Amino acid sequence: MNSLLNKFDLAPFSKIKNEDFLPAIKNAIVLAKKEIATITENNEAPSFENTIEALDYSGEQLDRVSSVFFNLNSAETNDEIQKIAQEVSPLLSEFSNDVALNVDLFKKVKAVYDQKENLTLSPEQQTLLDKKYKGFSRNGANLPEDKKETLRGIDKELATLKLTFGENILAETNAYELHLTDKNDLKGLPEGALEAAAQVAKQKDKDGWVFTLDYPSYIPFMKYVDSRELRKKMALAFGARGFQKNDYNNEKIVLKIAKLRYQRAQLLGYDTHANFVLEERMSGSPEKVTTFLNDLLDKAKPVALKEFKELETFAKELDAIDQLQKWDSAYYSEKLKNKLFNLDDEKLKPYFKLENVIDGAFSVANKLFGLHFKQVNTIDTYHEEVKTYEVTDNTNNLVAIFYADFHPRKGKRNGAWMTSFKGQKIKNGVNDRPHVSNVCNFTKPTETKPSLLTFNEVTTLFHEFGHGLHGMLANTTYPSLSGTSVYWDFVELPSQILENWCFEKECLDLFAKHYETGETIPMEFVEKIKASANFQEGMATMRQLSFGLLDMSWHGANPNDITNVKTQEVLAFKNTTLYPDVPENCMSVAFSHIFQGGYSSGYYSYKWAEVLDADAFEAFQEQGIFNPEIGKAFAEHILSKGGTEHPMTLYKRFRGQEPKPEALLKRAGLL
Ligand SMILES: [Zn+2]
């Protein structure tokens, strides 16, 4: 029996066999196609209900089965599941392409959209109508046949170029190694990094130590190795990826991608690629993003210059360095940080036993949002380590099911994330509550020691739990607007804001207790955590802003006159450089976020989200970090609303005004 062929509520993990997935997904696609056909073949006049709403409720079984499948592929995979994923992915993209290019369906959607002025729709329904219409129009549904053809051609070419861009970087990364056989060259490097490098050497049948341009090898090397010459060698190799005279050079590809994106935007009636992208962002326009970045730069720059001077003085005193170079940055910063704070993870970890930290996160959710978490052992899971909770409100109504999967194991990918096995929606008057999951990779307990978290892991847990609350407290009608289905530059608000509680004494007192003595974390440590979090914040901010400005320089204007990648980059960086330029290096040709991944015109989002979370958290600081009234307002206006209205509207309802950068500047010590 295939338990995924029929409807289910809780995912039936223990009954699922790997061979069930493919037939279940095929079956669900057939079902979804039928639901769409019901819409297109309807003889009645297209209405919001029979078209827009019906479209949003369609494909439910497909969503359920594929979310179970892809969540397992991330958290508990094996060769067989990975093989099935190779078969499933093309089926799913074929299906979604069929929907996106369905002319009959678009006709119906457009018919409803064209009469939107005469319809009586709630704000959520207006948003849904807009979203469904734009889902087609932004893919060219309104274009005449020949231009549609051009658009498909551009999309195809862009897909290939992005792929090649990534392959080139990978090839360049893999092609380089620094092989060392004299241990004296590696003075300064901690034991763990040495061992890892010896391991890499062994794998390559070599003596001594091998370092590569992969982050786990590259970062410690730049941070700790005393030899300035070797650091320089590594840094130059890293910065030259995609910029050398060989088959993997990305310069032409970067120019081509920028120009094709511009051409695509123009075809669809937008000024630039950034205008196209930002139409569906909280920020709204390239002008707003550029102003945002430059305003922050004005504030961060004087602090960054001061910090740079400090670092220069420090390096001069320590090693008589006259001119700091890029390859000195991580090295001297690490040394200066140690001198100033002397705060290592080992001192803090005993105060952060995993169970205590989880309880702390639950307490925060209880005080602010009136949630209760009860661990239950009757819910089916995909691994014995997964904990399950029933989440209820103050009147004992079920709010959500929460899964927590904390430890690394073979078959789980790296990192930490929030996901769900079932989204929230209201259908036929029934509020269907969500099944939300947090997956992390925290050190496992041993026989003698519980799982103790670093402070960074504590904030990670709160961060993912914040995303989790966004999913759990969702209260919308339509599935595609529920929970975390919000604009990209808004989605990190619920997660990042929750991290703030980790820095508050009042919150730490609840849970940060020594696992052996029960002693509450000393005030001195709390102060140090706060101070060290702002170490070199000016320089870090300026660096982030420089990447955002570089992104906008490629996507926020007509790129057709750009002929040289490096020249363009130097121009974009002119207000944000601290270190001398390295002519043989170039960042754009390896800037995967914007040329391979999905961050084009979106790099500013990192800072944008920080401004949001600091500004929103200030509301709590003003009224008390556990003030239930503010908690209620945050849940009501932000967490429960998902993407039902424009995020700026939601935000202003919570905060009374647009977010301002002052709170972030204050928190980061930049004022
Ligand atoms: Zn996040």
Side-chain angles (χ1 to χ4, degrees):
M1 230 245 354
N2 185 338
S3 55
L4 296 176
L5 286 177
N6 298 314
K7 282 192 166 211
F8 53 89
D9 186 44
L10 287 163
F13 293 112
S14 62
K15 296 199 191 79
I16 303 172
K17 299 178 294 298
N18 285 343
E19 62 263 32
D20 291 343
F21 283 115
L22 200 55
I25 285 171
K26 283 183 177 164
N27 170 66
I29 289 177
V30 172
L31 228 75
K33 280 186 175 165
K34 268 190 203 149
E35 288 163 350
I36 305 258
T38 312
I39 300 170
T40 52
E41 287 160 16
N42 192 337
N43 290 324
E44 290 166 37
S47 68
F48 181 84
E49 286 72 23
N50 74 20
T51 305
I52 306 299
E53 193 174 274
L55 182 57
D56 209 51
Y57 284 133
S58 74
E60 186 182 342
Q61 183 71 3
L62 183 58
D63 276 349
R64 293 298 319 270
V65 177
S66 44
S67 76
V68 169
F69 176 72
F70 286 106
N71 282 325
L72 280 186
N73 193 29
S74 296
E76 182 64 11
T77 195
N78 52 48
D79 291 349
E80 213 180 327
I81 291 188
Q82 280 170 348
K83 224 183 111 222
I84 299 168
Q86 300 284 342
E87 288 183 74
V88 162
S89 296
L91 291 179
L92 291 175
S93 42
E94 192 191 320
F95 170 69
S96 59
N97 277 339
D98 283 352
V99 177
L101 302 176
N102 188 325
V103 178
D104 294 335
L105 185 59
F106 178 60
K107 263 188 204 148
K108 297 252 179 187
V109 170
K110 188 169 160 54
V112 183
Y113 185 79
D114 286 344
Q115 44 166 323
K116 71 174 177 178
E117 307 302 329
N118 307 320
L119 302 172
T120 329
L121 299 177
S122 69
E124 178 174 355
Q125 291 174 323
Q126 287 170 29
T127 305
L128 187 69
L129 175 55
D130 223 45
K131 184 172 178 167
K132 292 294 172 205
Y133 177 76
K134 289 219 174 101
F136 289 96
S137 70
R138 285 168 61 85
N139 273 305
N142 279 319
L143 294 177
E145 230 19 76
D146 60 325
K147 287 193 172 162
K148 261 187 201 165
E149 206 52 45
T150 312
L151 189 77
R152 298 289 154 245
I154 293 176
D155 282 344
K156 223 171 139 187
E157 203 179 345
L158 273 173
T160 314
L161 286 168
K162 282 158 79 174
L163 208 65
T164 315
F165 181 97
E167 284 167 1
N168 286 347
I169 294 303
L170 191 65
E172 290 267 87
T173 305
N174 290 339
Y176 183 84
E177 62 170 49
L178 180 65
H179 181 208
L180 299 170
T181 48
D182 184 352
K183 205 173 177 180
N184 279 326
D185 287 337
L186 292 169
K187 274 198 196 121
L189 198 68
E191 205 51 46
L194 264 177
E195 270 170 38
Q199 197 66 34
V200 178
K202 215 169 147 191
Q203 278 162 10
K204 299 185 176 221
D205 266 328
K206 289 186 171 156
D207 299 337
W209 302 268
V210 168
F211 296 87
T212 69
L213 300 179
D214 289 314
Y215 283 114
S217 179
Y218 179 72
I219 302 281
F221 194 97
M222 297 309 293
K223 232 181 187 176
Y224 298 111
V225 168
D226 290 339
S227 162
R228 197 179 186 209
E229 267 317 297
L230 287 174
R231 289 201 314 269
K232 178 179 177 182
K233 208 170 170 183
M234 277 294 263
L236 290 184
F238 192 85
R241 291 172 312 151
F243 197 54
Q244 307 185 81
K245 288 195 174 55
N246 62 21
D247 289 347
Y248 308 115
N249 186 295
N250 269 342
E251 286 172 88
K252 283 207 178 86
I253 293 182
V254 161
L255 291 173
K256 189 87 201 170
I257 289 178
K259 287 170 191 180
L260 281 173
R261 282 174 172 166
Y262 177 75
Q263 194 192 338
R264 187 185 194 280
Q266 289 265 308
L267 201 59
L268 290 168
Y270 296 86
D271 280 350
T272 66
H273 178 65
N275 288 89
F276 170 77
V277 171
L278 297 170
E279 179 187 56
E280 297 205 314
R281 297 286 198 267
M282 184 179 182
S283 61
S285 72
E287 293 73 29
K288 190 132 189 178
V289 169
T290 309
T291 309
F292 167 80
L293 293 170
N294 283 321
D295 281 354
L296 277 180
L297 183 59
D298 280 347
K299 301 288 194 312
K301 195 168 178 174
V303 184
L305 291 172
K306 202 175 129 244
E307 289 166 356
F308 188 69
K309 193 125 211 98
E310 241 171 62
L311 192 65
E312 257 181 342
T313 313
F314 177 71
K316 192 162 199 159
E317 277 170 16
L318 202 65
D319 290 332
I321 303 286
D322 275 330
Q323 170 65 60
L324 270 184
Q325 300 285 352
K326 281 181 180 154
W327 43 90
D328 298 319
S329 148
Y331 179 78
Y332 288 106
S333 296
E334 179 66 20
K335 288 214 158 15
L336 180 59
K337 188 175 181 182
N338 273 337
K339 188 186 147 194
L340 293 176
F341 301 106
N342 183 27
L343 180 77
D344 68 61
D345 278 338
E346 295 311 311
K347 270 191 214 152
L348 294 174
K349 274 164 79 175
Y351 295 95
F352 297 123
K353 186 168 107 169
L354 175 62
E355 287 75 8
N356 293 347
V357 181
I358 302 164
D359 283 345
F362 289 167
S363 297
V364 172
N366 177 266
K367 286 174 187 290
L368 291 175
F369 313 122
L371 296 179
H372 302 264
F373 288 77
K374 188 175 137 219
Q375 192 171 351
V376 284
N377 300 315
T378 47
I379 292 174
D380 207 347
T381 64
Y382 53 88
H383 192 279
E384 56 182 15
E385 279 173 8
V386 179
K387 296 182 168 64
T388 51
Y389 302 85
E390 269 171 15
V391 189
T392 51
D393 63 14
N394 279 330
T395 47
N396 212 22
N397 289 313
L398 184 76
V399 172
I401 299 294
F402 180 57
Y403 298 75
D405 178 5
F406 286 123
H407 303 299
R409 55 176 179 265
K410 194 174 171 278
K412 191 195 271 193
R413 69 172 162 90
N414 293 333
W417 62 94
M418 168 270 185
T419 180
S420 63
F421 292 107
K422 186 178 85 170
Q424 177 274 340
K425 67 170 183 305
I426 300 172
K427 194 178 170 186
N428 302 324
V430 178
N431 194 331
D432 198 6
R433 299 310 305 168
H435 302 165
V436 170
S437 172
N438 275 176
V439 188
C440 309
N441 278 287
F442 301 141
T443 316
K444 257 178 124 162
T446 63
E447 268 175 31
T448 51
K449 230 183 191 174
S451 170
L452 300 176
L453 307 190
T454 63
F455 185 71
N456 194 19
E457 289 174 325
V458 174
T459 55
T460 299
L461 189 147
F462 272 67
H463 180 104
E464 297 311 330
F465 188 63
H467 283 307
L469 289 170
H470 203 183
M472 288 185 259
L473 286 166
N475 200 17
T476 72
T477 302
Y478 301 111
S480 76
L481 302 176
S482 182
T484 52
S485 307
V486 298
Y487 284 166
W488 183 319
D489 53 0
F490 191 59
V491 75
E492 296 299 328
L493 169 61
S495 52
Q496 287 187 184
I497 194 174
L498 221 70
E499 292 180 35
N500 288 283
W501 273 265
C502 304
F503 294 87
E504 296 292 323
K505 176 96 174 93
E506 195 184 344
C507 178
L508 288 168
D509 281 351
L510 295 174
F511 71 89
K513 301 196 189 291
H514 196 284
Y515 79 103
E516 285 170 321
T517 63
E519 171 214 12
T520 303
I521 189 165
M523 191 62 201
E524 179 208 341
F525 284 6
V526 180
E527 302 271 314
K528 269 194 180 176
I529 290 172
K530 276 194 186 186
S532 69
N534 282 342
F535 175 66
Q536 290 187 346
E537 186 62 33
M539 288 204 285
T541 300
M542 193 149 93
R543 191 178 137 89
Q544 283 285 87
L545 296 174
S546 75
F547 297 161
L549 289 166
L550 179 61
D551 176 18
M552 291 314 287
S553 95
W554 282 113
H555 299 116
N558 179 349
N560 284 334
D561 292 335
I562 305 175
T563 50
N564 186 298
V565 177
K566 177 75 181 180
T567 313
Q568 173 72 7
E569 180 170 303
V570 170
L571 194 71
F573 281 160
K574 74 173 187 300
N575 289 326
T576 55
T577 42
L578 292 168
Y579 297 90
D581 180 52
V582 183
E584 57 268 58
N585 283 179
C586 178
M587 157 139 197
S588 299
V589 292
F591 200 173
S592 306
H593 267 80
I594 65 166
F595 288 113
Q596 185 194 355
Y599 268 82
S600 63
S601 315
Y603 204 89
Y604 76 91
S605 308
Y606 289 108
K607 271 293 152 208
W608 183 271
E610 280 183 49
V611 165
L612 280 184
D613 91 71
D615 186 69
F617 185 62
E618 208 171 55
F620 287 93
Q621 284 175 310
E622 286 159 3
Q623 314 278 335
I625 62 160
F626 289 126
N627 184 315
E629 290 306 313
I630 307 293
K632 203 174 147 203
F634 193 69
E636 189 182 318
H637 298 307
I638 308 279
L639 295 176
S640 69
K641 286 290 190 297
T644 55
E645 288 182 74
H646 195 283
M648 196 61 94
T649 310
L650 298 179
Y651 193 83
K652 287 202 292 206
R653 233 173 256 151
F654 166 66
R655 198 65 174 111
Q657 59 191 27
E658 287 199 8
K660 291 194 292 196
E662 276 71 23
L664 172 67
L665 296 169
K666 204 158 81 189
R667 184 176 76 189
L670 298 178
L671 271 189

